[in-house]
Amino acid sequence: MDEIAKAVEILRRGGLVAFPTETVYGLGADAGSTEAVRRLYAAKQRPHDNPTIVHVADAQSAQRYAASWPEHARRLAERFWPGPLTLVLPRSDRVVPEASAGRDTVGLRCPDHPLALALLRAFDGPVAAPSANRSTRVSPTTAQHVREELGDAVDLILDGGPCRVGIESTVLDLSGSRPTILRPGAITQGQIQAQIGPVNVPPDEPPRGPARSPGMQELHYAPRTPAWRFTTEQLSEVLERSHGGAVLLIGPVIGVSEVAGRVVEMPSLPEAYARCLYSVLREMDRPPIAAIFIEMPPDEPAWAAVRDRLRRATRPL
Ligand code: TXA
Ligand code: MG
């Protein structure tokens, strides 16, 4: 039997299939089955108040899982699907409440990856798929990362090689009175506004306190090694504090102290930076590296998604 047929069979009997998307690897379960979704939350150790994204093969099937399909959804799906944009809409009964953490909305996304699309077409149903990592950890961008994260907790891993985008999709809430970006991603505010007019965005440096939206708490995408972010002005302070095997990430170059003995060059363009960010963090997240220091990229719209993930992965110096 080919891999896709095997994956479909696993999903039909309530199992878990990890699959590649253009953003990160997802851990998929049948979003029409309460039991399957419960298993998914258990495998990820995901808090029950954090909704999952439901993946679909195209805009037509998305309309089965949304209770309404407004003009904004039509335009955005036509322009950006398949692609890294999740649309939050009123939820239809065909998606079990557990997949949406009990909310009456659902996040829908059509991923731009041939293996994901083949799976979704063959399954012909809604697939709940959060990133295939344990809760609060760095998202996986290769099949090997998924193996390290989840091991036996997953029934099958479809290997599609490294992910092209590297960070999670833009999440846009269309269920309220004004479209609001809940999570920045590769599809930018400007690209969305060009299609549907003004959208609200979260502040670049969110206020401290309780999470505004589920899954948006501090240190959501964190390595285990203590990780700090700093501004260019703090560079000399960082150099002072980084003795003893600490790692530095400097500007477009990630430099490493003599003790750790490693230098990783980070790309100076946001797309290329995003593509390698999680695998670099994973690589550095092991002894002898005692701390990770990351220079924040410029406060510019093109860097919004990367800055968001860096803020969640680090504490300010
Ligand atoms: O790129 C991606 O979106 C990846 C790949 C696998 O598709 N998936 C992903 O899923 O990042 P996850 O579960 O790690 O992130 C889901 C986030 C939630 O934490 C929440 O912020 C938002 O999407 N979300 C999902 N459904 C929502 C809803 N109904 N209302 C508000 N936010 C929602
Ligand atoms: Mg995640």
Side-chain angles (χ1 to χ4, degrees):
M1 201 186 331
D2 75 10
E3 290 280 286
I4 295 293
K6 211 195 287 177
V8 167
E9 199 176 277
I10 290 167
L11 290 178
R12 292 226 166 101
R13 61 172 160 79
L16 304 180
V17 174
F19 61 93
T21 79
E22 80 281 32
T23 58
V24 301
Y25 275 71
L27 182 62
D30 179 359
S33 158
T34 303
E35 212 179 297
V37 171
R38 287 205 177 124
R39 236 191 116 199
L40 174 65
Y41 274 76
K44 271 195 60 116
Q45 296 158 346
R46 187 178 179 95
H48 287 278
D49 62 354
N50 188 0
T52 64
I53 292 171
V54 171
H55 293 65
V56 295
D58 49 39
Q60 204 184 331
S61 48
Q63 292 169 60
R64 297 206 290 266
Y65 310 121
S68 65
W69 189 251
E71 175 61 13
H72 284 170
R74 193 190 64 74
R75 291 182 81 114
L76 292 168
E78 195 174 289
R79 173 69 184 80
F80 296 116
W81 280 6
L85 177 65
T86 296
L87 303 176
V88 175
L89 290 161
R91 178 175 52 81
S92 95
D93 297 342
R94 297 201 206 187
V95 170
V96 296
E98 286 78 5
S100 283
R103 301 173 159 233
D104 53 14
T105 55
V106 60
L108 293 168
R109 165 164 132 76
C110 175
D112 186 15
H113 192 289
L115 269 183
L117 289 171
L119 175 66
L120 292 165
R121 286 189 195 115
F123 179 63
D124 193 27
V127 175
S131 48
N133 51 285
R134 306 257 176 205
S135 192
T136 77
R137 293 303 174 191
V138 177
S139 297
T141 54
T142 67
Q144 182 56 29
H145 294 163
V146 180
R147 260 174 236 121
E148 288 162 14
E149 280 281 328
L150 296 170
D152 291 342
V154 52
D155 298 307
L156 178 69
I157 301 173
L158 297 175
D159 190 343
C163 299
R164 172 169 59 80
V165 174
I167 58 176
E168 305 82 352
S169 62
T170 306
V171 177
L172 179 70
D173 188 353
L174 292 177
S175 70
S177 52
R178 180 157 177 162
T180 300
I181 293 178
L182 300 179
R183 180 176 73 184
I187 305 293
T188 63
Q189 179 190 5
Q191 286 177 291
I192 294 168
Q193 292 190 151
Q195 300 300 316
I196 63 167
V199 300
N200 291 339
V201 284
D204 183 65
E205 203 63 62
R208 304 213 151 244
R212 287 161 298 140
S213 127
M216 302 292 270
Q217 56 272 75
E218 285 282 290
L219 296 182
H220 188 66
Y221 303 91
R224 288 178 173 81
T225 310
W228 311 91
R229 62 179 177 273
F230 66 95
T231 59
T232 308
E233 298 75 58
Q234 291 173 299
L235 182 57
S236 54
E237 191 190 333
V238 167
L239 290 169
E240 242 160 65
R241 285 177 64 161
S242 64
H243 290 301
V247 176
L248 311 175
L249 288 79
I250 305 172
V253 173
I254 301 182
V256 177
S257 78
E258 329 69 65
V259 183
R262 295 187 49 200
V263 175
V264 178
E265 279 188 41
M266 287 301 273
S268 52
L269 292 177
E271 293 76 20
Y273 191 112
R275 191 176 304 136
C276 66
L277 173 61
Y278 288 156
S279 55
V280 169
L281 283 180
R282 259 170 207 279
E283 239 170 84
M284 301 220 177
D285 194 12
R286 54 181 64 133
I289 291 168
I292 302 172
F293 295 85
I294 305 179
E295 186 184 53
M296 285 299 272
D299 184 2
E300 290 164 9
W303 285 97
V306 166
R307 285 172 59 89
D308 173 79
R309 301 314 186 275
L310 290 178
R311 272 197 310 271
R312 292 176 207 295
T314 61
R315 293 190 167 81
L317 195 69

